[in-house]
Amino acid sequence: MKNFYLLIFLLSPCFSALAQQGNGPAVTAMGDAGVALSNVWAVKTNQAGTANLKHALIAVAYENKFGIKELSTKTAVFAVPIKTYVVGASFQAYGTDGFNEVKTGLSLARAFGQKLSLGIGLNYHQLAIQNYGDARALTVEVGLAYQITPQLCLASHIANPNQSKFGKETAQKIPTQMKFGASYLFNEQVLLASEFVQGIGGQADFKSGIEYKLVKILALRGGLAVNPFKQYGGFGIDYKGIQCDFAIASHPVLGYSPQIALAYEF
């Protein structure tokens, strides 16, 4: 088991990027293209996307990444409107007692009129490896969203522009990532979303997804990412303020990652 954790540590740049996601199945099922979406998971994907929330929401999610218990991710998000602002919080735990990464975040968003929204997030990261010690770091995130028309929204977001990392004791880096995207609401049933992602020192990726409301309380979702090519699918149920979402992601080499979430709107 100790060798397993060491292997994860040696592969940490790859898995750190995976661990930083945890964007919730409602976003994941749409190709993880969430930068221009407005929901409680925007606390993590683009804080500006929470600016127009009218009610407090809380959500919890669990992801079994690649079917490996040691790589499971637990996530919780919360957002509440306070006067002209929306305050958000997030918590994410990744790994096990022997190797784990915890990310705790706070966010603040505000809408400036009917079109422009801005958001900012502050995250505290903790990395612990059994018999190898631990490390901590702070990162910031900044996002904006602009409602071109009632149907079309453009958005951008940058995470960790200060290129913070886990101290001098480890080579573990926290990804710096820029996203640009759009969402388009065709009608009350069909929503499209897409985004372009570029990481500092990493490869670019394009993601796209669709949501189709089969009936008022049931939505079907699907999406893809091109680098590497990944497929996504899932569904969501929204009934009297209670939301249940499921998603599954398919990696061409590592396999499938199912996740489920429950949310409540106050």
Side-chain angles (χ1 to χ4, degrees):
M1 184 61 70
K2 178 179 177 180
N3 291 334
F4 174 81
Y5 294 130
L6 180 58
L7 176 62
I8 295 298
F9 176 63
L10 293 174
L11 294 175
S12 59
C14 172
F15 283 110
S16 179
L18 294 170
Q20 296 306 314
Q21 295 176 5
N23 295 331
V27 175
T28 300
M30 296 180 65
D32 208 31
V35 70
L37 297 180
S38 178
N39 54 38
V40 68
W41 292 103
V43 170
K44 292 181 60 61
T45 58
N46 180 1
Q47 292 75 23
T50 66
N52 291 298
L53 295 179
K54 303 303 182 185
H55 305 281
L57 294 105
I58 186 170
V60 294
Y62 176 83
E63 179 181 13
N64 184 13
K65 194 174 291 293
F66 313 129
I68 302 174
K69 179 182 177 182
E70 287 79 5
L71 300 182
S72 64
T73 302
K74 285 79 71 177
T75 309
V77 291
F78 176 73
V80 56
I82 300 177
K83 295 185 178 180
T84 58
Y85 296 91
V86 175
V87 177
S90 64
F91 175 83
Q92 180 175 304
Y94 164 80
T96 66
D97 292 338
F99 177 97
N100 68 82
E101 185 175 345
V102 175
K103 177 183 176 183
T104 306
L106 294 174
S107 67
L108 184 69
R110 182 179 179 181
F112 296 86
Q114 299 296 317
K115 294 184 178 293
L116 177 65
S117 299
L118 299 176
I120 187 170
L122 177 65
N123 303 305
Y124 180 62
H125 304 256
Q126 298 169 275
L127 175 68
I129 304 173
Q130 189 174 25
N131 300 325
Y132 290 92
D134 55 15
R136 298 168 179 82
L138 286 173
T139 62
V140 297
E141 301 181 28
V142 180
L144 67 85
Y146 193 82
Q147 200 73 36
I148 301 294
T149 70
Q151 295 79 30
L152 176 62
C153 177
L154 301 182
S156 64
H157 180 265
I158 183 169
N160 192 26
N162 53 320
Q163 300 188 47
S164 180
K165 61 181 181 179
F166 284 112
K168 299 180 180 179
E169 295 80 9
T170 172
Q172 175 83 358
K173 295 182 179 180
I174 300 172
T176 296
Q177 194 175 75
M178 296 173 288
K179 298 185 289 185
F180 306 90
S183 63
Y184 189 82
L185 184 65
F186 273 90
N187 50 49
E188 293 183 355
Q189 288 182 294
V190 180
L191 172 65
L192 294 181
S194 62
E195 69 180 44
F196 175 80
V197 183
Q198 177 65 64
I200 300 298
Q203 295 180 322
D205 195 6
F206 177 78
K207 306 173 182 181
S208 187
I210 184 172
E211 177 184 88
Y212 176 72
K213 286 192 176 181
L214 192 63
V215 293
K216 185 176 181 179
I217 66 170
L218 175 63
L220 304 180
R221 305 180 179 112
L224 57 84
V226 300
N227 190 21
F229 182 75
K230 292 182 285 186
Q231 298 168 294
Y232 303 83
F235 64 87
I237 298 172
D238 188 345
Y239 183 70
K240 294 185 177 180
I242 299 175
Q243 302 167 17
C244 178
D245 295 293
F246 175 82
I248 188 164
S250 174
H251 190 282
V253 177
L254 301 175
Y256 295 94
S257 299
Q259 58 179 289
I260 191 170
L262 288 174
Y264 182 72
E265 182 178 29
F266 295 89

Coordinates of all heavy atoms in Angstrom, one line a residue, residues 160-205:
N160 N -5.6 30.0 -10.1 CA -4.2 30.1 -9.7 C -3.3 30.9 -10.6 O -2.3 30.4 -11.1 CB -3.7 28.7 -9.6 CG -2.4 28.6 -8.8 OD1 -2.1 29.5 -8.0 ND2 -1.6 27.6 -9.1
P161 N -3.7 32.2 -10.9 CA -2.8 33.0 -11.7 C -1.5 33.3 -11.1 O -0.5 33.6 -11.7 CB -3.7 34.3 -11.9 CG -4.6 34.3 -10.7 CD -4.9 32.9 -10.5
N162 N -1.4 33.2 -9.7 CA -0.2 33.4 -9.0 C 0.7 32.2 -9.1 O 1.8 32.2 -8.5 CB -0.5 33.8 -7.6 CG -1.4 32.8 -6.9 OD1 -2.4 32.3 -7.5 ND2 -1.1 32.5 -5.6
Q163 N 0.3 31.1 -9.7 CA 1.1 29.9 -9.9 C 1.6 29.4 -8.5 O 2.8 29.0 -8.4 CB 2.2 30.1 -10.9 CG 1.7 30.5 -12.3 CD 2.8 30.5 -13.3 OE1 3.6 29.6 -13.4 NE2 2.8 31.6 -14.1
S164 N 0.8 29.3 -7.6 CA 1.1 28.8 -6.2 C 1.4 27.3 -6.3 O 0.8 26.6 -7.1 CB 0.0 29.1 -5.3 OG 0.3 28.6 -4.0
K165 N 2.3 26.8 -5.4 CA 2.5 25.4 -5.4 C 2.7 25.0 -3.9 O 2.8 25.8 -3.0 CB 3.8 25.0 -6.2 CG 5.0 25.7 -5.8 CD 6.2 25.3 -6.7 CE 7.5 25.9 -6.2 NZ 8.6 25.5 -7.1
F166 N 2.8 23.7 -3.7 CA 2.9 23.1 -2.4 C 4.3 23.2 -1.8 O 5.0 22.2 -1.6 CB 2.4 21.7 -2.4 CG 1.0 21.5 -2.4 CD1 0.4 21.0 -3.6 CD2 0.1 21.9 -1.4 CE1 -1.0 20.8 -3.6 CE2 -1.2 21.7 -1.5 CZ -1.8 21.2 -2.6
G167 N 4.8 24.4 -1.5 CA 6.0 24.6 -0.8 C 7.3 24.1 -1.5 O 7.2 23.6 -2.6
K168 N 8.4 24.2 -0.9 CA 9.7 23.8 -1.4 C 10.0 22.3 -1.2 O 10.9 21.8 -1.8 CB 10.8 24.7 -0.8 CG 10.7 26.2 -1.1 CD 11.8 26.9 -0.4 CE 11.7 28.4 -0.7 NZ 12.8 29.2 0.0
E169 N 9.3 21.7 -0.3 CA 9.5 20.3 0.0 C 9.1 19.3 -1.0 O 9.4 18.2 -1.0 CB 8.9 20.0 1.4 CG 9.5 20.7 2.6 CD 8.9 22.1 2.7 OE1 8.0 22.4 2.0 OE2 9.5 22.9 3.5
T170 N 8.2 19.8 -1.9 CA 7.6 18.9 -2.9 C 7.5 19.6 -4.2 O 7.4 20.8 -4.3 CB 6.2 18.4 -2.5 OG1 5.6 17.7 -3.5 CG2 5.3 19.6 -2.1
A171 N 7.6 18.8 -5.3 CA 7.5 19.3 -6.6 C 6.0 19.4 -7.1 O 5.7 19.8 -8.2 CB 8.2 18.4 -7.6
Q172 N 5.1 19.1 -6.2 CA 3.7 19.1 -6.5 C 3.2 20.5 -6.8 O 3.3 21.4 -6.0 CB 2.9 18.6 -5.3 CG 1.4 18.6 -5.5 CD 0.8 17.5 -6.3 OE1 1.6 16.6 -6.7 NE2 -0.5 17.4 -6.5
K173 N 2.7 20.7 -8.0 CA 2.2 22.0 -8.5 C 0.7 22.0 -8.5 O 0.1 21.0 -8.7 CB 2.8 22.3 -9.9 CG 4.3 22.5 -9.9 CD 4.8 22.9 -11.3 CE 6.3 23.1 -11.3 NZ 6.7 23.4 -12.7
I174 N 0.1 23.2 -8.3 CA -1.3 23.4 -8.4 C -1.5 24.0 -9.8 O -0.9 25.0 -10.1 CB -1.8 24.3 -7.3 CG1 -1.5 23.7 -5.9 CG2 -3.3 24.6 -7.5 CD1 -1.8 24.6 -4.8
P175 N -2.4 23.3 -10.6 CA -2.5 23.8 -12.0 C -3.0 25.2 -12.1 O -3.8 25.7 -11.3 CB -3.6 22.8 -12.5 CG -3.5 21.6 -11.7 CD -3.2 22.1 -10.3
T176 N -2.4 26.0 -13.0 CA -2.9 27.3 -13.4 C -3.6 27.1 -14.7 O -3.1 26.5 -15.7 CB -1.7 28.3 -13.6 OG1 -1.0 28.5 -12.4 CG2 -2.2 29.6 -14.2
Q177 N -4.9 27.5 -14.8 CA -5.7 27.1 -15.9 C -6.6 28.3 -16.3 O -7.2 29.0 -15.4 CB -6.6 25.9 -15.5 CG -7.3 25.2 -16.6 CD -8.0 24.0 -16.1 OE1 -9.1 24.1 -15.5 NE2 -7.5 22.8 -16.4
M178 N -6.7 28.5 -17.6 CA -7.6 29.6 -18.1 C -8.7 28.9 -19.0 O -8.4 28.0 -19.7 CB -6.8 30.5 -19.0 CG -5.8 31.3 -18.2 SD -4.7 32.3 -19.2 CE -3.7 31.1 -20.0
K179 N -9.9 29.4 -18.8 CA -11.0 28.9 -19.5 C -11.8 30.0 -20.2 O -12.0 31.1 -19.6 CB -12.0 28.1 -18.6 CG -11.3 26.9 -17.9 CD -12.3 26.1 -17.1 CE -12.7 26.8 -15.9 NZ -13.6 25.9 -15.0
F180 N -12.3 29.7 -21.4 CA -13.1 30.6 -22.2 C -14.3 29.8 -22.7 O -14.0 28.8 -23.3 CB -12.4 31.4 -23.3 CG -11.2 32.1 -22.8 CD1 -9.9 31.4 -22.8 CD2 -11.2 33.4 -22.4 CE1 -8.8 32.1 -22.4 CE2 -10.1 34.1 -22.0 CZ -8.8 33.4 -22.0
G181 N -15.5 30.3 -22.6 CA -16.6 29.4 -23.0 C -17.9 30.2 -23.2 O -18.0 31.4 -23.0
A182 N -18.9 29.5 -23.6 CA -20.2 30.0 -23.9 C -21.3 29.0 -23.6 O -21.1 27.8 -23.6 CB -20.3 30.5 -25.3
S183 N -22.5 29.5 -23.3 CA -23.7 28.7 -23.2 C -24.8 29.3 -24.0 O -24.9 30.6 -24.1 CB -24.1 28.5 -21.7 OG -24.5 29.7 -21.2
Y184 N -25.6 28.5 -24.6 CA -26.7 29.0 -25.4 C -28.0 28.2 -25.1 O -28.0 27.0 -25.2 CB -26.4 28.9 -26.9 CG -27.4 29.6 -27.8 CD1 -27.3 31.0 -28.0 CD2 -28.5 28.9 -28.4 CE1 -28.3 31.6 -28.8 CE2 -29.4 29.6 -29.1 CZ -29.3 30.9 -29.3 OH -30.2 31.6 -30.1
L185 N -29.0 28.9 -24.7 CA -30.3 28.3 -24.3 C -31.2 28.4 -25.6 O -31.7 29.5 -25.9 CB -30.9 29.0 -23.1 CG -32.2 28.5 -22.6 CD1 -32.0 27.1 -22.0 CD2 -32.8 29.4 -21.5
F186 N -31.4 27.3 -26.3 CA -32.2 27.3 -27.5 C -33.6 27.6 -27.2 O -34.3 28.3 -27.8 CB -32.0 26.0 -28.2 CG -30.9 26.0 -29.2 CD1 -29.6 25.6 -28.8 CD2 -31.0 26.4 -30.5 CE1 -28.5 25.6 -29.6 CE2 -29.9 26.4 -31.4 CZ -28.7 26.0 -30.9
N187 N -34.1 26.9 -26.1 CA -35.5 27.0 -25.7 C -35.6 26.5 -24.2 O -34.5 26.2 -23.6 CB -36.5 26.3 -26.6 CG -36.1 24.9 -26.9 OD1 -35.7 24.1 -25.9 ND2 -36.1 24.5 -28.1
E188 N -36.7 26.3 -23.7 CA -36.9 25.8 -22.3 C -36.4 24.4 -22.2 O -36.2 23.9 -21.0 CB -38.3 25.9 -21.9 CG -38.8 27.4 -21.8 CD -40.2 27.4 -21.2 OE1 -40.8 26.4 -21.1 OE2 -40.7 28.6 -21.0
Q189 N -36.1 23.7 -23.3 CA -35.7 22.3 -23.2 C -34.2 22.0 -23.5 O -33.6 21.1 -22.9 CB -36.5 21.4 -24.1 CG -38.0 21.2 -23.7 CD -38.7 20.4 -24.7 OE1 -39.0 20.7 -25.9 NE2 -39.1 19.2 -24.3
V190 N -33.6 22.8 -24.3 CA -32.3 22.5 -24.8 C -31.3 23.6 -24.4 O -31.5 24.8 -24.7 CB -32.3 22.4 -26.4 CG1 -30.9 22.1 -26.9 CG2 -33.3 21.3 -26.8
L191 N -30.2 23.2 -23.8 CA -29.1 24.1 -23.4 C -27.8 23.5 -23.9 O -27.5 22.3 -23.7 CB -29.1 24.2 -21.9 CG -27.8 24.9 -21.3 CD1 -27.9 26.4 -21.7 CD2 -27.8 24.8 -19.7
L192 N -27.0 24.3 -24.6 CA -25.7 23.9 -25.1 C -24.6 24.7 -24.3 O -24.8 25.9 -24.0 CB -25.5 24.2 -26.6 CG -26.4 23.4 -27.6 CD1 -26.1 23.9 -29.0 CD2 -26.2 21.9 -27.4
A193 N -23.5 24.0 -24.1 CA -22.4 24.7 -23.4 C -21.1 24.2 -24.0 O -21.0 23.0 -24.4 CB -22.4 24.4 -21.9
S194 N -20.1 25.1 -24.1 CA -18.8 24.7 -24.6 C -17.7 25.6 -24.0 O -18.0 26.7 -23.5 CB -18.7 24.8 -26.1 OG -18.9 26.1 -26.5
E195 N -16.5 25.1 -23.9 CA -15.4 25.9 -23.4 C -14.1 25.4 -24.0 O -13.9 24.2 -24.3 CB -15.4 25.8 -21.9 CG -15.0 24.5 -21.3 CD -15.0 24.6 -19.7 OE1 -15.9 25.1 -19.2 OE2 -14.0 24.1 -19.1
F196 N -13.1 26.3 -24.0 CA -11.7 26.1 -24.4 C -10.9 26.3 -23.1 O -11.0 27.3 -22.4 CB -11.3 27.1 -25.5 CG -9.8 26.9 -25.9 CD1 -9.4 25.9 -26.7 CD2 -8.9 27.8 -25.3 CE1 -8.1 25.8 -27.0 CE2 -7.6 27.7 -25.7 CZ -7.1 26.7 -26.5
V197 N -10.0 25.3 -22.9 CA -9.2 25.3 -21.7 C -7.7 25.3 -22.0 O -7.3 24.5 -22.9 CB -9.5 24.0 -20.8 CG1 -8.8 24.1 -19.5 CG2 -11.0 23.9 -20.5
Q198 N -7.0 26.1 -21.4 CA -5.5 26.1 -21.6 C -4.8 26.2 -20.2 O -5.1 27.1 -19.4 CB -5.1 27.3 -22.4 CG -3.6 27.4 -22.6 CD -3.0 26.3 -23.4 OE1 -3.3 26.1 -24.6 NE2 -2.2 25.5 -22.8
G199 N -4.0 25.2 -19.9 CA -3.2 25.2 -18.7 C -1.8 25.7 -19.0 O -1.3 25.4 -20.1
I200 N -1.2 26.4 -18.0 CA 0.1 26.8 -18.1 C 1.1 25.6 -18.2 O 1.1 24.8 -17.2 CB 0.5 27.8 -17.0 CG1 -0.4 29.0 -17.0 CG2 2.0 28.2 -17.1 CD1 -0.3 29.9 -18.2
G201 N 1.8 25.5 -19.2 CA 2.7 24.3 -19.3 C 2.0 23.0 -19.7 O 2.6 22.0 -19.7
G202 N 0.7 23.1 -20.0 CA 0.0 21.9 -20.4 C -0.7 22.0 -21.7 O -0.5 23.0 -22.4
Q203 N -1.4 21.0 -22.1 CA -2.1 21.0 -23.4 C -3.4 21.7 -23.3 O -4.1 21.7 -22.3 CB -2.2 19.5 -23.9 CG -0.9 18.8 -24.1 CD -1.1 17.4 -24.6 OE1 -2.0 16.7 -24.1 NE2 -0.3 17.0 -25.5
A204 N -3.9 22.1 -24.5 CA -5.2 22.8 -24.6 C -6.2 21.7 -24.7 O -6.0 20.6 -25.2 CB -5.2 23.7 -25.8
D205 N -7.5 22.0 -24.4 CA -8.6 21.1 -24.5 C -9.8 21.9 -24.9 O -10.0 23.0 -24.6 CB -8.8 20.4 -23.2 CG -9.7 19.1 -23.3 OD1 -10.0 18.8 -24.4 OD2 -10.0 18.5 -22.3

